[in-house]
Amino acid sequence: MSMNNPRVAVVGATGAVGSAMQSILASRHFPASEIRLMASERSAGRVVPTPWGDVVIENLATADPVGIDIALFSAGGARSREYAPRFAAAGAVVIDNSSAFRADPDVPLVVAEVNDDAIHAHHGIVSNPNCTTMVVMMALGPLHRAAGLRRLTVCSYQAVSGSGQTGMDVLAHELDVLGKDRDLLVHGGWSDPGGDFYARPIGYNVLPHAGSFTEQGYTDEEWKLVHETRKILDAPDILIEPTCVRVPVMVGHGIAATAFFSRPVSVDEAREILGAAPGAELWDDNKVPTPLDCAGRDGVLIGRVRATVGEEGGISLWTVGDNLRKGAALNAVQLAELLL
Ligand SMILES: NC(=O)c1ccc[n+]([C@@H]2O[C@H](COP(=O)([O-])OP(=O)(O)OC[C@H]3O[C@@H](n4cnc5c(N)ncnc54)[C@H](OP(=O)(O)O)[C@@H]3O)[C@@H](O)[C@H]2O)c1
């Protein structure tokens, strides 16, 4: 295997994340000797222009993984569970965007610029964290290293692109249909735009329900925040209270977080740490970062850094990042760079 000029496969290449992976590999001049693109049989045969020449999309079900050095998977958990072990057995290192292997103790879960060293323990598969966890780790990772995170309350404001291309199509459609009669939105009487992609309409609405309901009344997205934060920070005892909310935003997951540490942390110390956090940008002086500000941008934005006013000694902050880039594709490419 040549890791200087690896042969790279993008699996799920036609999706929201896979498309971002292709453009990020190109813009970062990833030193691939060859790119292979794979998706379902629906897309197989289509020709995609890339900096490595025109590439014909292959059907994942029949593609031969032999010869691939690095495979970036973003085709859903079922595909990862079925094909990632086969690709790894054929010699590839798989960087997997799904949740399939994140809890596996033999699979490192890595946020580039937060816990890079963990990647070296891989046995052929590395997991890319959940997009919400990823964004909040960019702020909490450096604070944890300085002061030891003990307790965390987080509320996410998650964009519809977190549910893929279809999420964006559904939002655009519902804004169009529901927006036609503003009076009905103000006084009631609107009619459901139809479809069951989300449990309730997302246009002009917020859904305190991201993912699927699982144990104890929490959703799987909420449990990911708990388990993945503990694994990434290698701190199994952190207490976490998560609420995940889907909002009518195309791109950019926002997270409001309140954190307490093993000692009091002043707002000045927090600002100093966050101002130096790699891969993040601190917006200060009441300049407020929003999802629209982070869309298409690599750096995660941090703002509203303040001292807690109930119980003293903690820090409250807001962080927002492009879920398709740092939340998924950019981090996957950064992990591939760590393997070189
Ligand atoms: N969106 C995010 O913010 C985000 C963040 C982190 C992780 N992820 C994860 O990344 C994965 C993809 O998400 P996405 O947002 O890019 O979804 P998406 O836009 O719906 O794209 C899905 C991709 O998977 C492919 N696919 C679907 N069924 C397949 C099959 N049977 N065989 C082969 N390929 C198949 C699709 O190919 P066709 O076009 O041929 O159907 C498409 O390329 C998911 O596991 C998701 O959990 C997403």
Side-chain angles (χ1 to χ4, degrees):
M1 141 156 84
S2 163
M3 276 302 186
N4 288 333
N5 295 102
R7 290 157 294 185
V8 174
V10 177
V11 178
T14 52
V17 175
S19 310
M21 281 173 171
Q22 290 182 53
S23 73
I24 291 170
L25 286 166
S27 66
R28 291 172 77 91
H29 305 290
F30 191 84
S33 56
E34 181 192 348
I35 291 278
R36 289 172 63 184
L37 302 179
M38 298 172 191
S40 76
E41 63 177 346
R42 295 180 288 275
S43 311
R46 252 171 50 201
V47 179
V48 178
T50 78
W52 294 270
D54 286 352
V55 177
V56 180
I57 296 178
E58 300 174 61
N59 179 358
L60 172 64
T62 52
D64 180 359
V66 171
I68 296 169
D69 298 312
I70 297 176
L72 306 177
F73 266 67
S74 67
R79 264 69 60 192
S80 293
R81 272 185 290 276
E82 182 168 358
Y83 297 99
R86 292 193 206 168
F87 277 51
V93 179
V94 172
I95 297 171
D96 183 37
N97 259 283
S98 79
S99 56
F101 306 104
R102 290 183 192 145
D104 187 329
D106 285 335
V107 176
L109 182 65
V110 188
V111 181
E113 302 184 299
V114 171
N115 66 330
D116 295 12
D117 288 346
I119 199 171
H120 302 299
H122 77 78
H123 303 285
I125 302 178
V126 179
S127 273
N128 216 34
N130 161 263
C131 35
T132 308
T133 311
M134 191 98 72
V135 170
V136 75
M137 285 301 99
M138 297 303 286
L140 292 178
L143 292 172
H144 171 67
R145 258 193 305 280
L149 182 61
R150 282 284 168 80
R151 260 188 300 135
L152 179 64
T153 302
V154 266
C155 186
S156 72
Y157 300 70
Q158 298 181 213
V160 294
S161 55
S163 332
Q165 299 280 13
T166 312
M168 293 189 274
D169 295 343
V170 168
L171 175 59
H173 170 71
E174 293 187 358
L175 288 177
D176 187 37
V177 172
L178 290 168
K180 284 198 164 66
D181 196 337
R182 194 197 292 187
D183 279 349
L184 300 181
L185 294 174
V186 175
H187 303 295
W190 54 273
S191 43
D192 198 305
D196 56 3
F197 188 70
Y198 292 120
R200 307 286 297 126
I202 186 67
Y204 296 98
N205 207 5
V206 295
L207 310 187
H209 172 189
S212 321
F213 284 108
T214 59
E215 305 98 70
Q216 295 176 250
Y218 286 77
T219 68
D220 54 354
E221 285 283 299
E222 290 161 347
W223 282 116
K224 286 175 197 171
L225 263 167
V226 174
H227 298 309
E228 295 185 21
T229 297
R230 290 172 172 169
K231 183 168 176 178
I232 292 160
L233 299 182
D234 193 19
D237 298 328
I238 296 175
L239 304 174
I240 303 173
E241 302 297 346
T243 305
C244 289
V245 181
R246 187 79 61 192
V247 294
V249 161
M250 282 294 172
V251 164
H253 287 358
I255 298 102
T258 295
F260 290 92
F261 303 88
S262 60
R263 60 171 173 81
V265 172
S266 73
V267 71
D268 288 343
E269 181 185 3
R271 283 207 186 105
E272 196 179 319
I273 292 166
L274 296 169
E281 208 179 295
L282 177 61
W283 284 26
D284 232 332
D285 301 325
N286 292 339
K287 201 171 147 219
V288 179
T290 68
L292 285 177
D293 297 310
C294 78
R297 194 172 181 137
D298 283 349
V300 165
L301 305 176
I302 303 169
R304 302 290 322 276
V305 180
R306 58 211 194 273
T308 51
V309 286
E311 181 183 343
E312 292 181 359
I315 293 294
S316 287
L317 56 79
W318 164 257
T319 174
V320 64
D322 184 327
N323 51 294
L324 299 177
R325 294 181 79 86
K326 184 61 191 181
L330 171 64
N331 197 69
V333 174
Q334 288 175 309
L335 298 189
E337 289 168 352
L338 289 175
L339 294 172
L340 296 180

